[in-house]
């Protein structure tokens, strides 16, 4: 019986639990966070024609530092400044040869203005926290600095409005991993072409991330929106969010070395009469695909700004469609 009638946020009847970790759930084999040297050489050569300053906001966090490292590996100039939610942190973070100085909220407007004076073609990449999405975006828009918003959550409608009103350039996406972006693009295409094809189907969604993740998966929300266009019924209250390392290890099957950094997603659809079911999964260990994708996003946005492209607000599907993801 595949129908899931679990109460909200319990795991007792989840497909992950019912099957156990080895039956039908293929956790990815562990991969090294660093891409192989040949890949890096190719990537550096490819970005050689495009070099510009990049400021990564959120370098005290895991994605921020990963993106900063990927940017320097790709030959971009890392601006030695990043912001924190904490005042008077008096901290620097070393990324390659660069000492990135961390500033608190009260300094951010002055510091960012000085950065823009010194590096007029700077692109900002934001990996901070859901509750800073809107205030950070407002600041980037106020100062007219193009930005990639990798941070999820916040008020997404307001985020788009801020960019639209300011006519700033921005690339906004809850998902930077090339293959997951391709899956999302496929979902959007199916939803566009066959609205209602899954009319009446029940949708169940489980997502597992490292315990420190504050919000619900932004990627899951985007995929759910597609299933809803297809006619599936989903109650956001019933989303199963797994943040407990024990459950991740023993039930979900996350490799132990990736408990601190993983994103596993499972979507299960059942027909109204229970006779048909579908299941989709995307399971990522580590953060390298997001870091590389974020640099692709920054390069893409930089080129759009330089060519004064009229579109101004982009997402990762635009980057993928233009063949700009490595
Ligand atoms: N688009 C994508 O593909 C991906 C998106 N994400 C998203 O990126 C975000 C960050 O994830 P992750 O790096 O794992 O989280 P972390 O908690 O590791 O890092 C976030 C950092 O943001 C800093 N921060 C919080 N508020 C502010 C602020 N107002 N200004 C500046 N810095 C701030 C915190 O540092 P401090 O305490 O010093 O303020 C913290 O170190 C999340 O929203 C996550 O969902 C993650 C992976 C992929
Ligand atoms: O916080 C994370 O880790 C991730 N966040 C993004 C999201 O919320 O969709 C992307 C991915 O799931 C990793």
């Amino acid at each position: 019986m595949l129908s899931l009638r679990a109460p909200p946020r319990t795991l007792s009847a989840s497909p992950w639990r019912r099957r156990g970790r080895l039956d039908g759930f293929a956790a990815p084999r562990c991969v090294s966070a660093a891409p192989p040297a040949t890949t890096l050489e190719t990537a550096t050569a490819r970005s050689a024609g495009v070099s510009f300053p990049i400021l990564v906001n959120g370098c005290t966090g895991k994605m921020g530092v990963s993106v900063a490292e990927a940017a320097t590996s790709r030959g971009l100039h890392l601006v030695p400044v990043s912001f924190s939610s904490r005042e008077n942190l008096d901290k620097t973070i070393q990324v390659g040869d660069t000492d990135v100085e961390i500033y608190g909220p009260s300094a951010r407007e002055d510091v960012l203005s000085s950065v823009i004076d010194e590096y007029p073609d700077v692109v900002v990449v934001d990996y901070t926290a859901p509750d800073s999405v809107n205030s950070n975006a407002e600041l980037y828009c106020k100062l007219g600095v193009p930005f990639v918003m990798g941070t999820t959550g916040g008020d997404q409608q307001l985020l788009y409005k801020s960019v639209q009103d300011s006519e700033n350039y921005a690339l906004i996406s809850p998902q930077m991993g090339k293959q997951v972006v391709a899956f999302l693009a496929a979902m959007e295409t199916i939803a566009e072409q066959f609205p209602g094809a899954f009319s009446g189907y029940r949708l169940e969604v489980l997502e597992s991330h490292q315990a420190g993740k504050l919000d619900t998966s932004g990627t899951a929300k985007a995929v759910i929106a597609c299933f809803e266009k297809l006619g599936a019924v989903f109650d956001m209250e019933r989303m199963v969010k797994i943040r407990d390392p024990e459950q991740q290890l023993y039930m979900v099957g996350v490799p132990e070395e990736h408990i601190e950094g993983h994103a596993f997603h499972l979507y299960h659809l059942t027909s109204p009469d229970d006779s048909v079911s579908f299941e989709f999964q995307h399971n990522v260990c580590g953060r390298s695909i997001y870091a590389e994708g974020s640099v692709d996003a920054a390069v893409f946005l930089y080129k759009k700004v330089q060519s004064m492209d009229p579109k101004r607000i982009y997402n990762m599907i635009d980057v993928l469609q233009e063949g700009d993801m490595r």
Side-chain angles (χ1 to χ4, degrees):
M1 177 71 169
L2 285 171
S3 123
L4 298 186
R5 304 193 195 284
R9 291 191 198 88
T10 68
L11 295 163
S12 56
S14 84
W16 281 342
R17 182 169 186 102
R18 278 183 288 111
R19 291 212 204 108
R21 64 173 286 192
L22 294 176
D23 177 14
F25 181 79
R29 298 216 338 260
C30 307
V31 287
S32 150
T38 46
T39 318
L40 277 183
E41 277 158 23
T42 317
T44 307
R46 207 183 293 172
S47 352
V50 185
S51 186
F52 58 91
I54 182 166
L55 185 157
V56 182
N57 196 3
C59 274
T60 54
K62 291 171 291 281
M63 271 309 297
V65 82
S66 301
V67 173
E69 284 167 356
T72 53
S73 298
R74 299 265 289 264
L76 303 184
H77 176 76
L78 181 65
V79 174
V81 161
S82 188
F83 302 101
S84 163
S85 63
R86 292 171 281 174
E87 291 292 0
N88 308 317
L89 204 53
D90 195 17
K91 187 171 177 160
T92 56
I93 294 196
Q94 194 168 0
V95 179
D97 294 335
T98 309
D99 284 327
V100 178
E101 204 156 331
I102 308 298
Y103 291 92
S106 62
R108 62 185 198 140
E109 184 161 349
D110 287 347
V111 173
L112 190 53
S113 300
S114 306
V115 167
I116 295 165
D117 286 344
E118 194 171 346
Y119 307 100
D121 52 350
V122 65
V123 172
V124 171
V125 177
D126 190 296
Y127 275 103
T128 58
D131 66 2
S132 56
V133 163
N134 295 105
S135 56
N136 285 358
E138 296 269 331
L139 178 65
Y140 308 144
C141 290
K142 179 177 171 190
L143 300 182
V145 60
F147 67 97
V148 173
M149 182 56 78
T151 314
T152 50
D155 182 334
Q156 290 285 307
Q157 260 189 323
L158 182 60
L159 170 60
Y160 279 87
K161 188 177 179 324
S162 303
V163 184
Q164 257 151 13
D165 292 351
S166 66
E167 300 188 0
N168 195 15
Y169 280 89
L171 189 150
I172 302 166
S173 178
Q175 179 55 245
M176 300 287 176
K178 181 176 184 176
Q179 292 71 24
V180 188
V181 173
F183 170 66
L184 193 50
M187 287 302 308
E188 286 195 3
T189 304
I190 299 170
E192 186 79 17
Q193 290 194 2
F194 310 112
F198 282 80
S199 200
Y201 273 60
R202 293 189 306 281
L203 173 64
E204 284 127 328
V205 183
L206 297 87
E207 58 98 330
S208 171
H209 286 79
Q210 60 280 352
K213 181 166 175 64
L214 298 172
D215 58 337
T216 301
S217 166
T219 307
K221 287 182 190 164
V223 172
I224 289 164
C226 296
F227 281 126
E228 285 179 335
K229 275 189 208 149
L230 285 162
V233 179
F234 185 67
D235 175 0
M236 204 50 99
E237 290 296 303
R238 293 177 68 88
M239 167 92 83
V240 180
K241 284 199 291 184
I242 303 168
R243 297 288 182 270
D244 173 33
E246 289 280 299
Q247 289 180 332
Q248 294 171 342
L249 200 53
Y250 297 111
M251 187 199 73
V252 181
V254 179
E256 193 169 1
E257 60 275 38
H258 293 296
I259 291 293
E260 291 293 316
H262 70 276
F264 281 29
H265 294 78
L266 186 149
Y267 312 88
H268 187 95
L269 289 147
T270 314
S271 65
D273 65 357
D274 287 340
S275 66
V276 183
S277 69
F278 283 77
E279 208 161 273
F280 302 85
Q281 292 187 34
H282 48 93
N283 302 320
V284 176
C285 285
R287 297 183 172 83
S288 57
I289 69 166
Y290 314 124
E292 294 299 333
S294 302
V295 179
D296 294 333
V299 171
F300 174 91
L301 191 63
Y302 172 78
K303 291 196 282 192
K304 293 296 179 193
V305 175
Q306 296 307 306
S307 66
M308 293 191 280
D309 192 288
K311 186 161 139 72
R312 288 172 188 264
I313 306 182
Y314 308 89
N315 62 33
M316 285 310 280
I317 297 175
D318 298 317
V319 187
L320 191 61
Q321 274 169 344
E322 294 199 17
D324 280 350
M325 288 193 83
R326 48 174 291 206

